Amino acid sequence: MVVWPVIEMIRTSLTRVSSTGQSQGFAGVRNYTDLFAQGDLPGVLLRTLVWVVGVVTVTLVLSLGLAALLNSRFPGRRLVRWALIVPWASSVLMTALIWRWMLNNFYGVVNRLLMDLGVLDAPVNWLAKPGLALAAMMGVAVFVSLPFTSFVLLAGLQSIPAEVYEAARVDGAGPVRGYLGITLPLLRPSLVVAAIINVINVFNSFPIIWAMTRGGPGFASDTTTTYLYKLAFDNQSVGESAAMAVVNFGLILAVVLVYLRFVRRQEDTT
């Protein structure tokens, strides 16, 4: 289930494949050289980095606040917890389509609301401009990622013994010092799990980008995942697409290994 698709992906990246899907023999590294000769690739790689780092960072920061809120006692807490599950339980494609309609410059509720508030004088075509489109898609990706991440961190918060906080209060630690000195260090295992899973999910995210902009205009809002799809089905370059998939796999693996090494070094220093 895991190893064989990886082997097949690497094999395809080293093979000449016709537009009809027929293997035409060993290609060596030709698919890789053709891939790295693509003029759009540097922009796609940079955009993917911004996409992953931006979405994961904002998701973790907001989830820390949401987890702390859900861990406290207040009326309706159970209802809020159930409501937070909705974006995660719903179809990602459905969520992306709803946001695309909401951002439409003719009938979208976002433009209507901003114009009624006086923020905008005229409707904005949010998904036609690369910068705005990327920001909008990142917002949707954060919206979809928040529930899972918040509940992972909430589970981490609930596993911290109350005696630790009581001892800290006896020692004179205030809320800020207690959070920075106790909560965050003890949340590190949960943060590591949440960060790694989010990196993998966001890196491989396809429905949000494809449903909202299809990576357009042109390749202006593509990440590596949608770019490899276009190479295979629009350009009929199956070998290059497989090479892009191998590069994608290597990038994800490298990011996860670097993050784990950083976390381990932090644990050794503390």
Side-chain angles (χ1 to χ4, degrees):
M1 294 295 291
V2 177
V3 176
W4 177 249
V6 173
I7 294 174
E8 186 64 19
M9 176 180 67
I10 296 173
R11 187 193 67 79
T12 306
S13 73
L14 300 172
T15 305
R16 289 196 303 271
V17 183
S18 69
S19 59
T20 58
Q22 297 296 316
S23 176
Q24 297 179 332
F26 183 67
V29 295
R30 177 65 183 272
N31 290 323
Y32 290 91
T33 56
D34 289 346
L35 172 66
F36 287 110
Q38 296 282 350
D40 299 300
L41 184 61
V44 170
L45 291 173
L46 178 61
R47 199 174 305 112
T48 303
L49 177 64
V50 173
W51 165 262
V52 174
V53 173
V55 172
V56 173
T57 301
V58 174
T59 298
L60 289 175
V61 171
L62 293 180
S63 295
L64 282 170
L66 278 173
L69 173 65
L70 296 176
N71 195 42
S72 60
R73 295 186 177 276
F74 59 90
R77 181 178 65 170
R78 180 173 297 180
L79 181 62
V80 174
R81 287 182 176 181
W82 279 102
L84 187 62
I85 296 176
V86 174
W88 174 76
S90 303
S91 164
V92 176
L93 178 61
M94 180 190 73
T95 303
L97 286 172
I98 290 173
W99 276 99
R100 189 182 76 180
W101 296 333
M102 289 171 62
L103 292 168
N104 186 276
N105 57 314
F106 290 111
Y107 52 78
V109 67
V110 173
N111 275 313
R112 183 73 269 166
L113 178 62
L114 293 177
M115 290 174 64
D116 288 344
L117 293 174
V119 178
L120 295 178
D121 295 324
V124 174
N125 195 349
W126 302 94
L127 301 180
K129 300 178 181 180
L132 289 177
L134 182 62
M137 293 188 299
M138 290 174 68
V140 175
V142 170
F143 177 75
V144 171
S145 304
L146 275 177
F148 171 80
T149 312
S150 298
F151 278 102
V152 169
L153 298 182
L154 175 61
L157 285 174
Q158 292 181 337
S159 67
I160 300 175
E163 294 80 7
V164 177
Y165 291 108
E166 292 176 4
R169 282 194 293 270
V170 170
D171 291 338
V176 175
R177 184 181 169 189
Y179 188 80
L180 297 177
I182 297 174
T183 304
L184 284 182
L186 294 178
L187 263 183
R188 185 171 294 168
S190 299
L191 280 169
V192 170
V193 171
I196 291 175
I197 293 177
N198 270 293
V199 165
I200 295 172
N201 287 341
V202 173
F203 211 111
N204 290 318
S205 181
F206 182 86
I208 294 174
I209 300 172
W210 196 253
M212 293 184 71
T213 66
R214 291 185 177 268
F219 299 105
S221 59
D222 270 318
T223 61
T224 53
T225 305
T226 54
Y227 186 65
L228 69 87
Y229 180 88
K230 286 183 176 179
L231 287 175
F233 294 98
D234 293 349
N235 296 5
Q236 300 294 311
S237 303
V238 178
E240 283 186 48
S241 178
M244 184 72 254
V246 173
V247 172
N248 220 27
F249 179 77
L251 288 173
I252 295 172
L253 190 61
V255 169
V256 171
L257 290 176
V258 168
Y259 183 77
L260 288 175
R261 186 178 181 84
F262 172 77
V263 170
R264 187 174 300 171
R265 183 175 297 176
Q266 290 292 106
E267 290 177 348
D268 292 342
T269 56
T270 55

